[in-house]
């Protein structure tokens, strides 16, 4: 499953009613990176001053991701000091699990009376999750954003694959495998064990770039050091799917279950969908290079940048101009001579007269 | 950094794709040339979601044009004086 179908965006609308009872904010459409800001702005207005009860009606919401969770968290926190409560009306099953995973359940009240109007429920979990995956693919890449997105991958994986009791993402960074996101401490401890012994499905998936599946751990002989530890924690099935960055194995999405044979073919396919998206995210982040290549590239970029800055400084001094004007001089020379700007800069520096002796 | 009224367009992202650069690769090259926006901002500028200053746009244009030269092609991305 490599192609994500194109979904037409549902129109995003927010309506606020102050009829009898607490103020109610009715949202329909997707609450994602593009629309969460609007919702946040409206919630800001409605919570100033903070009411005792505020209802957020989500019956018409198709997708609500990390940005939407952030809005919920912020509003709940804003109401709390005065004893106010945010009520989420008609949250979807997926949202309830996400709230649980992000430890927000205690911060809000849930009102699950059937909505009078609302969209038809998703026929399959898949259909509900594809918009999430599209969103992930569109997230611009930056270290902390990548980590946050990977945490969302985990949350989604747990929602999608019902019998996963724990999920984690391992990534090779600076030559070492580390767990960059995990659904709980037990799981990250188990990953750490694997890294320490160099043995386990997560290590294998990250190294060989292949899916590793243990569906009955007590019968599995592949990892003699790792298996007893996992069984000791009550784990009976593990699915590790590789994360490929630039086509090369760089990590794994690991799913653990207390139930043996928990992961069926469909779950493996689902895992592959997630890893495909996560891999794309990491590749776009420029992590498509090996560690060595990354350092070399970054080094080269820094050196070039420093040289160019030095040439700019020289020109600014000589021509009494601004840094931007100096850049324009270098740029025109580069275009005119057909030479890369960094080379032009090197010549400018070389031309610098030696400092006069005192 | 002052934002001037340079019209935002999505030409930059089309040029980026034509130059066969990922966002990450574009950023690294742009950074090497002294670009001052961070990767996130650069991507937003490429998509036309943020209007760059004239200078910033020139740095991006030159980043792309140097890449086009590497590919044996001309300088299709205009500078602010063009």
């Amino acid at each position: 499953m490599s192609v994500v179908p194109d979904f037409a965006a549902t129109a995003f609308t927010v309506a606020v009613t102050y009829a009898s009872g607490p103020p109610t904010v009715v949202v329909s459409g997707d609450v994602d990176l593009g629309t969460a800001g609007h919702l946040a702005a409206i919630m800001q207005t409605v919570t100033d001053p903070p009411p005792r009860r505020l209802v957020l009606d989500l019956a018409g919401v198709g997708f609500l991701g990390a940005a939407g969770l952030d809005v919920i968290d912020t509003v709940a926190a804003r109401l709390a000091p005065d004893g106010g409560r945010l009520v989420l009306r008609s949250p979807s099953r997926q949202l309830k699990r996400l709230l649980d995973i992000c430890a927000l359940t205690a911060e809000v009240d849930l009102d699950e009376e059937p909505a009078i109007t609302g969209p038809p429920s998703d026929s399959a979990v898949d259909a509900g999750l594809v918009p999430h995956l599209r969103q992930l693919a569109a997230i611009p890449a930056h270290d902390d954003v990548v980590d946050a997105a990977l945490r969302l991958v985990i949350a989604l994986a747990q929602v999608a694959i019902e019998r996963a009791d724990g999920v984690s993402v391992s990534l090779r960074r600076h030559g070492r495998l580390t767990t960059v996101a995990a659904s709980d401490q037990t799981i990250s401890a188990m990953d750490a064990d694997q890294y320490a012994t160099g043995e386990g499905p997560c290590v294998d998936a990250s190294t060989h770039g292949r899916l590793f599946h243990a569906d009955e751990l007590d019968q599995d002989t592949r990892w003699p050091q790792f298996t007893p530890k996992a069984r000791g924690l009550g784990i009976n099935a593990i699915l590790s799917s590789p994360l490929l960055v630039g086509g090369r194995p760089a990590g794994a999405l690991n799913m653990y279950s207390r139930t043996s044979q928990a992961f069926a073919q469909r779950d493996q396919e689902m895992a592959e969908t997630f890893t495909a998206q996560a891999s794309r995210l990491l590749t776009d982040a420029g992590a498509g290079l090996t560690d060595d290549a990354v350092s070399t590239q970054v080094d080269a970029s820094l050196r070039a940048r420093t040289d160019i800055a030095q040439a700019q400084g020289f020109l600014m001094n000589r021509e009494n101009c601004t840094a931007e004007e100096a850049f324009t001089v270098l740029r025109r020379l580069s275009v005119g001579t057909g030479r890369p700007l960094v080379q032009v800069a090197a010549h400018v520096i070389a031309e610098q007269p030696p400092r006069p002796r005192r | 950094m002052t934002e001037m009224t340079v019209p935002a367009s999505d030409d930059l992202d089309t040029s980026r794709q034509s130059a066969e650069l990922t966002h990450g690769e574009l950023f690294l090259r742009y950074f090497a040339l002294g670009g001052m926006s961070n990767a996130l901002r650069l991507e937003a500028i490429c998509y036309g979601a943020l209007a760059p200053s004239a200078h910033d746009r020139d740095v991006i244009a030159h980043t792309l044009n140097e890449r086009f030269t590497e590919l044996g092609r001309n300088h299709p991305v205009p500078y602010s004086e063009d």
Side-chain angles (χ1 to χ4, degrees):
Chain A
M1 196 196 277
S2 55
V3 176
V4 176
D6 198 50
F7 268 60
T10 316
F12 175 75
T13 61
V14 181
V16 184
T17 55
Y18 289 93
S20 63
T24 303
V25 178
V26 182
V27 185
S28 64
D30 296 341
V31 184
D32 56 21
L33 284 170
T35 56
H38 299 302
L39 180 59
I42 289 168
M43 296 306 262
Q44 170 88 354
T45 314
V46 174
T47 54
D48 180 18
R52 301 242 45 228
R53 229 167 98 87
L54 170 59
V55 176
L56 183 59
D57 190 319
L58 300 170
V61 170
F63 163 90
L64 190 145
L69 285 172
D70 206 44
V71 175
I72 289 173
D73 191 20
T74 306
V75 172
R78 193 175 296 135
L79 299 180
D82 300 300
R85 292 295 281 181
L86 173 65
V87 179
L88 301 183
R89 178 170 294 157
S90 305
S92 67
R93 186 172 56 92
Q94 277 106 319
L95 175 58
K96 283 195 289 182
R97 278 206 72 172
L98 277 175
L99 289 170
D100 206 29
I101 288 163
C102 301
L104 282 176
T105 318
E107 314 298 311
V108 299
D109 292 338
L110 299 182
D111 173 359
E112 296 173 79
E113 283 172 20
I116 298 164
T117 58
S121 54
D122 286 335
S123 51
V125 172
D126 298 10
L129 283 171
V130 169
H132 289 53
L133 300 179
R134 261 193 85 226
Q135 196 61 56
L136 271 180
I139 293 176
H142 226 230
D143 255 0
D144 42 1
V145 176
V146 170
D147 279 0
L150 289 173
R151 277 195 287 278
L152 186 57
V153 171
I154 288 193
L156 292 174
Q158 272 194 295
V159 169
I161 298 169
E162 300 279 338
R163 280 188 292 182
D165 293 312
V167 188
S168 72
V169 174
S170 339
L171 216 51
R172 202 173 294 278
R173 274 192 175 154
H174 312 298
R176 286 175 45 217
L177 264 185
T178 43
T179 298
V180 297
S183 57
D184 60 63
Q185 300 278 44
T186 310
I187 301 306
S188 52
M190 189 153 39
D191 281 356
D193 266 349
Q194 291 187 60
Y195 309 145
T197 59
E199 189 194 281
C202 145
V203 172
D204 284 351
S206 308
T207 311
H208 302 296
R210 278 185 358 250
L211 191 92
F212 280 84
H213 183 200
D215 66 352
E216 292 221 63
L217 255 194
D218 57 3
Q219 314 249 339
D220 209 300
T221 53
R222 284 176 282 185
W223 307 293
Q225 280 191 66
F226 164 75
T227 305
K229 291 187 179 155
R231 298 271 297 115
L233 292 167
I235 303 298
N236 282 298
I238 301 178
L239 183 64
S240 285
S241 355
L243 283 172
L244 301 174
V245 167
R248 311 239 275 287
L253 175 71
N254 312 298
M255 288 181 234
Y256 302 94
S257 178
R258 301 209 150 75
T259 317
S260 55
Q261 302 186 327
F263 305 120
Q265 181 62 30
R266 187 181 162 281
D267 298 313
Q268 291 183 43
E269 285 167 6
M270 188 79 75
E272 274 162 14
T273 306
F274 284 110
T275 47
Q277 287 300 333
S279 298
R280 213 199 112 179
L281 188 77
L282 292 165
T283 303
D284 282 352
L289 311 163
T290 62
D291 288 342
D292 282 343
V294 167
S295 322
T296 311
Q297 286 243 350
V298 170
D299 270 349
S301 300
L302 280 171
R303 255 179 286 119
R305 188 181 169 92
T306 312
D307 286 349
I308 289 169
Q310 197 180 343
Q312 274 174 288
F314 172 55
L315 287 172
M316 285 162 73
N317 216 4
R318 193 184 76 182
E319 309 292 326
N320 194 24
C321 65
T322 66
E324 293 180 1
E325 286 164 346
F327 179 85
T328 304
V329 170
L330 293 169
R331 186 252 295 169
R332 287 183 178 148
L333 278 171
S334 166
V335 174
T337 60
R339 292 225 205 87
L341 199 146
V342 68
Q343 242 184 66
V344 171
H347 280 122
V348 166
I349 296 169
E351 275 172 24
Q352 218 169 346
R355 283 179 168 272
R357 285 172 197 265
R358 287 178 192 257
Chain B
M1 185 183 297
T2 51
E3 302 293 1
M4 293 171 52
T5 53
V6 175
S9 75
D10 57 3
D11 294 335
L12 288 175
D13 203 61
T14 309
S15 298
R16 173 191 65 84
Q17 291 178 58
S18 173
E20 296 165 36
L21 292 175
T22 64
H23 285 291
E25 287 165 345
L26 178 71
F27 174 71
L28 219 47
R29 287 162 174 266
Y30 161 87
F31 179 80
L33 286 176
M36 296 298 269
S37 296
N38 66 19
L40 190 58
R41 200 179 166 89
L42 177 64
E43 188 166 342
I45 290 169
C46 281
Y47 281 138
L50 269 181
S53 65
H55 172 75
D56 207 10
R57 202 194 151 89
D58 280 346
V59 180
I60 298 170
H62 197 71
T63 307
L64 288 162
N65 286 331
E66 281 201 353
R67 169 60 173 171
F68 281 121
T69 305
E70 274 174 31
L71 296 173
R73 285 141 71 174
N74 228 327
H75 285 173
V77 187
Y79 299 104
S80 40
E81 66 266 23
D82 293 345

